[in-house]
């Protein structure tokens, strides 16, 4: 069985607005919560990389122990439904695996109650090879400084040509030198994005564009 996760309200309430909310007993004194039977379509639980935020972002992230999988049509990608579940543990948002780049980005954007320091830790932990989520974080996550945004986009790997180009064009707080560094490191083989950068990125000299 893969590891399974769900995001809940701080009191263990599910986020659903379509069905009657379910309250999941939370762990106490180091022990997992009690087993419960979830009615209807059961509990929607996300595998690693699954669509954890299909119905929004609660205040807490939990790892689940699940039994009795259900065959439900049209579940979000990477999500499985179960009849019997219990909460094994509450996971601090900043402890999300670095490999779960989208989860880190979406948590930093949408989870209520996070500090700016938590949001910064979440997004700066996104790997360099995940240029999309580093670029989107620099554009959209609240509470970041210009220095944070600069660190995010300059840390995008050179192979992520599209996202280096888009970061140079759209991320606020960058200097002309930052934009130049972003686009001039796009590999020659990525001619499309070098061309787009030469046309669209402001602050480049004629020599840079050549």
């Amino acid at each position: 069985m893969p590891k399974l996760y769900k995001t809940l309200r701080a009191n263990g309430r599910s986020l659903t607005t379509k069905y009657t909310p379910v309250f999941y007993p939370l762990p106490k004194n180091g022990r997992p919560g009690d087993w419960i039977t979830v009615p209807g379509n059961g509990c929607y639980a996300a595998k690693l990389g699954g669509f954890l935020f299909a119905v929004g972002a609660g205040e807490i992230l939990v790892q689940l122990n699940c039994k009795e999988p259900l065959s439900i049509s049209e579940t979000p990608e990477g999500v499985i439904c179960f009849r019997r579940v219990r909460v094994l543990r509450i996971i601090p948002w900043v402890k999300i695996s670095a490999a779960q780049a989208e989860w880190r980005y979406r948590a930093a954007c949408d989870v209520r109650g996070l500090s700016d320091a938590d949001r910064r830790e979440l997004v700066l932990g996104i790997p360099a090879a995940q240029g999309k989520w580093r670029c989107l974080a620099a554009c959209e996550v609240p509470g970041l400084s210009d220095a944070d945004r600069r660190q995010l986009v300059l840390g995008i790997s050179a192979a992520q040509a599209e996202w280096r180009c888009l970061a140079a064009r759209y991320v606020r707080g960058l200097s002309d030198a930052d934009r130049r560094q972003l686009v001039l490191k796009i590999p020659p083989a990525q001619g499309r994005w070098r061309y787009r950068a030469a046309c669209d990125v402001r602050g480049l000299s004629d020599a840079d564009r050549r």
Side-chain angles (χ1 to χ4, degrees):
M1 179 72 68
K3 291 183 177 180
L4 298 161
Y5 302 87
K6 191 173 185 67
T7 176
L8 301 170
R9 297 296 180 206
N11 62 356
R13 180 183 181 274
S14 65
L15 305 182
T16 183
T17 56
K18 186 176 180 180
Y19 305 106
T20 301
V22 174
F23 282 87
Y24 292 80
L26 298 177
K28 292 182 179 179
N29 302 318
R31 297 176 62 85
D34 295 334
W35 284 97
I36 61 169
T37 299
V38 183
N41 286 352
C43 168
Y44 286 72
K47 299 183 290 185
L48 285 172
F51 198 4
L52 177 69
F53 299 95
V55 293
E59 292 83 12
I60 61 173
L61 172 66
V62 299
Q63 184 179 349
L64 301 172
N65 193 185
C66 301
K67 296 179 179 179
E68 300 178 27
L70 303 172
S71 179
I72 304 296
S73 62
E74 298 182 0
T75 56
E77 184 178 355
V79 172
I80 307 171
C81 295
F82 294 88
R83 182 67 69 208
R84 296 275 293 162
V85 298
R86 68 173 176 175
V87 176
L88 286 177
R89 61 189 181 113
I90 299 172
I91 301 171
W93 286 105
V94 295
K95 298 298 184 183
I96 296 173
S97 164
Q100 303 306 309
E102 181 177 359
W103 287 13
R104 294 180 76 92
Y105 156 73
R106 294 196 183 279
C109 282
D110 298 331
V111 173
R112 293 181 293 182
L114 292 181
S115 67
D116 288 347
D118 289 337
R119 297 181 196 283
R120 181 179 186 275
E121 184 174 349
L122 278 165
V123 298
L124 290 179
I126 296 172
Q130 294 288 342
K132 174 181 179 179
W133 303 114
R134 290 181 75 97
C135 181
L136 290 176
C139 290
E140 298 174 5
V141 171
L144 299 181
S145 67
D146 287 348
D148 295 332
R149 287 188 279 270
R150 180 178 185 274
Q151 185 175 347
L152 271 170
V153 298
L154 292 181
I156 296 172
S157 70
Q160 299 286 300
E162 176 181 3
W163 297 103
R164 291 182 73 90
C165 177
L166 294 175
R169 186 175 181 187
Y170 293 114
V171 174
R172 65 186 185 276
L174 299 181
S175 67
D176 288 348
D178 294 333
R179 294 188 183 92
R180 182 177 187 274
Q181 183 176 343
L182 277 165
V183 301
L184 292 183
K185 287 191 176 180
I186 295 174
Q190 294 288 341
R192 175 187 178 187
W193 297 109
R194 289 175 72 92
Y195 172 77
R196 286 283 301 273
C199 292
D200 298 338
V201 174
R202 65 186 184 277
L204 300 181
S205 67
D206 289 345
D208 295 332
R209 293 189 175 90
R210 286 198 295 271

